[in-house]
Amino acid sequence: MYRYAQTNLQLYHQLRLSDYTDDDLKLIAASYQLILNLFTGQFRASGKTFIAHLVGTASILASFQVSVKVVAAGLLHAVYSQGDFGGFGQQGINYRKRERVRQAVGRDVEEYVTLYTALSWNTQQISEIYRRFDELDAIAQDVLLIRLANELEEYLDFGLLYCGESKHQLYQEHDSYLLVEMAEKLGYPALGTEIAHVLQETLLATIPQELCNPTGQKFSSLVLPKSCQRQLPAWFYYLINRLITNLKLLARSFFKRKNTKI
């Protein structure tokens, strides 16, 4: 078990004990309210709620006393890749989504999240980032720190093993030792040590197959209760109402003509 928060209340308590200000807490509360709307019903392949993962990532960042804007960005890091903003065919970043996030948490935090989303993360890219580390400016380093916090949170409590073979195999392809070295280069050797520790734990652990991948999905997915249905967009209801109205008018016209003939 690890000490990091998994709920909003635990995160607020952690921040208060770490001397973050009331204004800082208001920003985190606003960020949490946003993910509450965007990730309700979403679960990792392990069965863990997506919100718990986001809170855990923010908690890891807060444990290193980073700026509250970086903590907020950690809490929001997956909004553009996984958040449900409504509508169809709306994957990725667009102006409407960015404006909603800006209004909730401000431009600085939103910019971090945008840069995080644009950061490619695979074996080749990890090596490239490591090779060009000295070229990263302060903001890019903060974004990389958020990414490393995300990686640590993925491994905590054997999370990747519980996700099932598909996701675990994907992460095994990463040059994980580079994550440790990048954490050290960023000035957070304790983060590097913890990443190395969970990597070793995961390598040695065995999880009963019956506990793995309870959602049956390779990656995160939306699980809705039976009483809840996804709302269709407003234009769909508008077209249906227009169609019903026109059919009623057509029916009235038809019967009116028929009665006139009689």
Side-chain angles (χ1 to χ4, degrees):
M1 299 290 292
Y2 286 82
R3 66 186 184 280
Y4 300 115
Q6 295 285 281
T7 70
N8 60 323
L9 302 184
Q10 291 171 337
L11 181 59
Y12 299 155
H13 187 59
Q14 175 187 353
L15 294 172
R16 290 178 59 246
L17 292 178
S18 299
D19 294 327
Y20 283 88
T21 68
D22 288 347
D23 286 340
D24 293 339
L25 286 164
K26 289 177 183 177
L27 176 59
I28 298 303
S31 302
Y32 183 80
Q33 186 59 49
L34 184 58
I35 65 169
L36 193 63
N37 292 326
L38 299 180
F39 290 91
T40 297
Q42 288 206 44
F43 290 81
R44 316 311 300 277
S46 63
K48 178 178 177 175
T49 65
F50 209 116
I51 289 177
H53 164 66
L54 297 174
V55 170
T57 302
S59 179
I60 290 168
L61 292 164
S63 72
F64 293 102
Q65 297 287 297
V66 300
S67 78
V68 70
K69 291 180 180 179
V70 174
V71 177
L75 191 56
L76 297 167
H77 72 266
V79 294
Y80 294 137
S81 60
Q82 301 287 337
D84 186 349
F85 286 81
F88 297 105
Q90 296 293 323
Q91 296 298 319
I93 300 178
N94 59 39
Y95 176 81
R96 179 180 64 86
K97 292 181 180 181
R98 293 194 67 181
E99 192 59 28
R100 181 174 175 184
V101 175
R102 288 189 194 111
Q103 289 178 1
V105 298
R107 291 184 176 275
D108 291 343
V109 175
E110 192 280 330
E111 185 66 23
Y112 275 127
V113 179
T114 295
L115 292 172
Y116 180 93
T117 306
L119 180 64
S120 297
W121 196 254
N122 51 52
T123 298
Q124 181 179 352
Q125 190 63 22
I126 291 171
S127 297
E128 182 66 12
I129 293 170
Y130 179 78
R131 186 180 69 82
R132 302 181 60 183
F133 181 88
D134 292 339
E135 300 175 20
L136 301 179
D137 61 20
I139 293 177
Q141 289 189 24
D142 284 341
V143 171
L144 178 57
L145 179 62
I146 296 169
R147 184 75 225 198
L148 294 178
N150 171 80
E151 297 294 295
L152 174 57
E153 217 289 326
E154 292 274 18
Y155 280 97
L156 293 181
D157 301 317
F158 309 124
L160 283 180
L161 296 180
Y162 285 108
C163 281
E165 186 60 30
S166 295
K167 187 165 186 178
H168 184 213
Q169 181 62 39
L170 178 64
Y171 272 67
Q172 282 183 317
E173 295 172 0
H174 294 171
D175 291 327
S176 300
Y177 72 94
L178 293 182
L179 307 184
V180 177
E181 294 191 22
M182 283 193 285
E184 293 173 352
K185 283 177 173 287
L186 286 169
Y188 298 96
L191 175 60
T193 299
E194 195 147 13
I195 291 173
H197 181 67
V198 296
L199 288 171
Q200 184 65 20
E201 279 189 331
T202 301
L203 182 65
L204 298 175
T206 301
I207 301 298
Q209 192 61 37
E210 294 78 13
L211 300 180
C212 297
N213 194 215
T215 67
Q217 303 293 322
K218 291 183 178 180
F219 300 101
S220 300
S221 59
L222 182 66
V223 180
L224 290 176
K226 295 295 184 182
S227 61
C228 180
Q229 297 180 356
R230 183 186 290 271
Q231 291 186 350
L232 295 170
W235 60 262
F236 179 85
Y237 293 106
Y238 173 77
L239 290 178
I240 292 297
N241 288 332
R242 284 288 301 274
L243 178 61
I244 293 172
T245 299
N246 289 337
L247 288 174
K248 287 180 178 179
L249 292 174
L250 184 61
R252 288 173 185 171
S253 178
F254 173 78
F255 286 112
K256 184 176 182 180
R257 288 199 304 269
K258 186 175 181 180
N259 292 334
T260 299
K261 288 180 181 179
I262 294 174

